[in-house]
Amino acid sequence: GAVVSQHPSWVICKSGTSVKIECRSLDFQATTMFWYRQFPKQSLMLMATSNEGSKATYEQGVEKDKFLINHASLTLSTLTVTSAHPEDSSFYICSARISGDGGYTFGSGTRLTVV
Amino acid sequence: GENVEQHPSTLSVQEGDSAVIKCTYSDSASNYFPWYKQELGKRPQLIIDIRSNVGEKKDQRIAVTLNKTAKHFSLHITETQPEDSAVYFCAARQAGTALIFGKGTTLSVSS
């Protein structure tokens, strides 16, 4: 149980274009979704916290106009990387809390390469 | 906000030896401390976790200890095997918030 499905698993896009990453909770309602970015050989860095029906909260240094987060329903949260540049190339992964303090579940991640 | 420090960044052991990875956290309100194993390009995989009302937890060859006073927790792997080679991350969380991760430890177990 408590599965988060993340798509796409990998994407290559041209500089200046936008890319949307989706995370769906399949068998539970995710009122809160956390978005992380992981550069090669580095840790998972929290980018933002999204709550269903409200604006996302961004961590310091993360551009909210560049990384658009939408959490319009209890089962879907999306991250759109706008006007992507090569330095945005990274592994993006979403995570949701499992109710009842059951820990966290993670999406399978999206490898973004901007060329 | 929470800050998690993890040491060492790399650890090499011989098969059968024990491995210890240590983490410290900054926010005394944190109450949940999981450890993850991550393979390249994959999602983190939970290997063990501990909550602030417990001092130690063990699962076969893996154990975690927590010292709330000192704000540090450690992962202990006994009888290491080559398949234990991976990157390990510790994390900490306050109630209802996101996990904050340490920088990771690359464990290499040689046979």
Side-chain angles (χ1 to χ4, degrees):
Chain A
V3 174
V4 172
S5 176
Q6 183 171 349
H7 294 280
S9 56
W10 62 270
V11 58
I12 301 173
C13 71
K14 292 184 177 180
S15 288
T17 62
S18 297
V19 173
K20 180 184 283 188
I21 300 169
E22 292 189 349
C23 280
R24 293 181 182 273
S25 54
L26 300 184
D27 49 2
F28 70 106
Q29 293 182 329
T31 54
T32 302
M33 194 74 76
F34 306 105
W35 287 92
Y36 293 87
R37 178 169 54 184
Q38 186 175 30
F39 291 110
K41 297 187 178 182
Q42 293 189 24
S43 185
L44 288 82
M45 297 300 295
L46 180 66
M47 298 176 66
T49 299
S50 72
N51 293 292
E52 184 267 336
S54 63
K55 289 184 178 180
T57 303
Y58 291 82
E59 295 299 302
Q60 191 172 9
V62 178
E63 300 174 58
K64 62 180 181 181
D65 294 330
K66 180 171 184 62
F67 298 99
L68 301 180
I69 291 174
N70 185 282
H71 197 154
S73 77
L74 289 171
T75 59
L76 176 63
S77 179
T78 63
L79 166 66
T80 300
V81 183
T82 63
S83 187
H85 291 284
E87 56 264 32
D88 298 324
S89 299
S90 189
F91 187 63
Y92 293 86
I93 190 164
C94 58
S95 176
R97 277 198 65 197
I98 303 169
S99 63
D101 204 22
Y104 294 75
T105 184
F106 289 84
S108 53
T110 297
R111 171 71 58 194
L112 170 64
T113 301
V114 184
V115 297
Chain B
E2 179 64 274
N3 182 50
V4 179
E5 299 281 343
Q6 182 172 347
H7 299 280
S9 56
T10 60
L11 180 60
S12 296
V13 299
Q14 293 278 35
E15 183 178 2
D17 288 349
S18 295
V20 180
I21 304 171
K22 299 183 179 182
C23 287
T24 60
Y25 60 99
S26 62
D27 195 328
S28 56
S30 290
N31 60 5
Y32 177 64
F33 308 93
W35 286 88
Y36 291 91
K37 180 179 181 181
Q38 188 183 29
E39 297 180 9
L40 191 64
K42 301 286 183 66
R43 75 187 85 194
Q45 177 186 6
L46 179 69
I47 56 171
I48 196 166
D49 58 9
I50 191 167
R51 288 171 171 77
S52 58
N53 59 347
V54 176
E56 184 174 359
K57 184 177 178 181
K58 189 174 182 180
D59 183 4
Q60 298 183 336
R61 298 187 296 111
I62 296 173
V64 56
T65 59
L66 171 65
N67 183 326
K68 287 192 298 182
T69 303
K71 290 190 283 188
H72 67 69
F73 55 114
S74 300
L75 176 71
H76 304 252
I77 306 174
T78 59
E79 300 173 27
T80 54
Q81 302 165 3
E83 50 265 38
D84 293 328
S85 297
V87 180
Y88 291 83
F89 292 99
C90 64
R93 174 216 80 182
Q94 300 176 43
T97 62
L99 290 172
I100 302 301
F101 287 84
K103 291 191 183 300
T105 297
T106 300
L107 173 64
S108 299
V109 181
S110 55
S111 55

